[in-house]
Amino acid sequence: GAGVSQSPSNKVTEKGKDVELRCDPISGHTALYWYRQRLGQGLEFLIYFQGNSAPDKSGLPSDRFSAERTGESVSTLTIQRTQQEDSAVYLCASSLGQGSNGYTFGSGTRLTVV
Amino acid sequence: GDSVTQMEGPVTLSEEAFLTINCTYTATGYPSLFWYVQYPGEGLQLLLKATKADDKGSNKGFEATYRKETTSFHLEKGSVQVSDSAVYFCGTGHNAGNMLTFGGGTRLMVKP
């Protein structure tokens, strides 16, 4: 597609439920990233995929968080047993590979855990 | 790993005022430097970048110069507009890696 697409744009869920967030990167972009942005705070790296290599999961805050990517296409970020502190905007970005090229970001999914 | 420090906001200016948003970084090697902008309700967009020392990135009247000696990449604009109101993020990236490291963001509010 023309840009990075994320869905849903907004999600309200009850504490303890699982949620799944989706990201469609730009076609041909081999690298895909997930970041989290809590209210009033900066960007927190979560996970990064590069082609068929093993993902860099070093930023995932707990084992309730996981992400998958099929080849160089769609990625899903899953949060199990959501907690109120998971409330944030979850941003996805893709790039042609090297971090020095910068990213193209999606508009994010705003997750609210009540 | 890298770290990026930005001036805390909000920065509140009147229209046509001069803008400076400070950004300093610590990094191994020679990173590329970026400014991203996030307009209200939208995703982050790349505003400008510089890939080596003394390079100047520029876009939409904004400029930033890669200062290796002071490890800085301050964002400037000579005359801000109300439409520049947004959150600005400074970041670093490396040729050998893929993750960008961002500062905490600086909110700019421009009043008419």
Side-chain angles (χ1 to χ4, degrees):
Chain A
V4 177
S5 177
Q6 292 187 245
S7 61
S9 55
N10 281 284
K11 176 71 176 179
V12 180
T13 190
E14 292 182 352
K15 179 180 173 182
K17 300 283 189 184
D18 298 351
V19 295
E20 191 173 275
L21 313 180
R22 177 186 169 104
C23 173
D24 280 284
I26 290 174
S27 178
H29 278 194
T30 58
L32 186 148
Y33 316 80
W34 284 96
Y35 282 79
R36 178 168 71 177
Q37 185 180 23
R38 288 186 165 132
L39 184 65
Q41 298 187 21
L43 297 172
E44 178 185 0
F45 168 74
L46 296 178
I47 188 169
Y48 145 67
F49 296 89
Q50 171 62 56
N52 294 318
S53 301
D56 177 353
K57 304 180 181 180
S58 60
L60 294 178
S62 78
D63 59 7
R64 296 187 294 105
F65 288 72
S66 63
E68 294 183 350
R69 187 183 187 195
T70 304
E72 295 182 353
S73 60
V74 171
S75 175
T76 54
L77 176 68
T78 301
I79 309 172
Q80 296 178 311
R81 306 182 302 282
T82 52
Q83 304 295 314
Q84 287 185 330
E85 62 262 27
D86 300 334
S87 297
V89 176
Y90 289 83
L91 292 166
C92 177
S94 68
S95 74
L96 276 171
Q98 296 295 339
S100 60
N101 289 326
Y103 299 161
T104 300
F105 278 90
S107 297
T109 294
R110 181 176 299 278
L111 175 66
T112 304
V113 182
V114 297
Chain B
D2 292 5
S3 67
V4 179
T5 302
Q6 296 180 230
M7 61 190 294
E8 289 192 18
V11 174
T12 304
L13 295 173
S14 297
E15 208 164 21
E16 298 184 2
F18 184 86
L19 168 71
T20 300
I21 299 178
N22 290 338
C23 170
T24 57
Y25 65 91
T26 59
T28 54
Y30 303 97
S32 294
L33 303 177
F34 303 87
W35 277 100
Y36 279 78
V37 58
Q38 186 178 31
Y39 297 105
E42 299 184 15
L44 276 77
Q45 305 171 25
L46 179 64
L47 179 61
L48 54 85
K49 72 175 186 179
T51 57
K52 61 184 188 297
D54 300 325
D55 269 3
K56 177 184 287 187
S58 61
N59 186 24
K60 298 182 181 180
F62 291 88
E63 293 183 341
T65 300
Y66 191 142
R67 301 289 187 197
K68 181 172 175 292
E69 64 277 12
T70 54
T71 61
S72 65
F73 194 53
H74 304 323
L75 183 68
E76 296 182 336
K77 186 174 186 181
S79 176
V80 293
Q81 306 300 311
V82 173
S83 57
D84 294 326
S85 297
V87 180
Y88 293 81
F89 292 90
C90 184
T92 63
H94 291 265
N95 285 333
N98 289 277
M99 188 179 78
L100 267 63
T101 300
F102 291 95
T106 303
R107 181 176 299 278
L108 171 65
M109 299 171 61
V110 180
K111 297 184 176 180

